[in-house]
Amino acid sequence: MQRFKSAGSAQRFQGIHAAVHNMFNLQRHLISRSTLRTFRAEATAEWEAAVAAALTWIASPALRPSTSLP
């Protein structure tokens, strides 16, 4: 909590961090090295697809919902 300006910003960071950590954290001692490589490759591909989708959404205002009121 020391490096965050508020409790809210710490909670937002921890929520995102938990999701990313759960995607990439594997119990390596329970699986073989080749299986680990496969899982890591799949997780990385998913992550790259999510980042690409987010960047597309940010770059294209037409994809965002309208904020103007009628």
Side-chain angles (χ1 to χ4, degrees):
M1 188 66 192
Q2 295 173 352
R3 296 185 183 186
F4 294 100
K5 292 185 177 182
S6 69
S9 91
Q11 287 176 337
R12 280 191 304 276
F13 171 80
Q14 288 176 345
I16 294 169
H17 180 271
V20 172
H21 180 75
N22 289 338
M23 178 181 280
F24 286 99
N25 185 36
L26 299 170
Q27 300 297 320
R28 288 179 284 194
H29 66 284
L30 299 176
I31 58 177
S32 69
R33 185 67 185 158
S34 61
T35 303
L36 175 66
R37 275 192 218 107
T38 303
F39 288 164
R40 304 264 309 176
E42 289 173 1
T44 301
E46 260 186 71
W47 180 255
E48 289 172 350
V51 169
L55 291 175
T56 301
W57 186 82
I58 289 169
S60 178
L63 296 176
R64 289 186 230 149
S66 176
T67 56
S68 62
L69 296 175

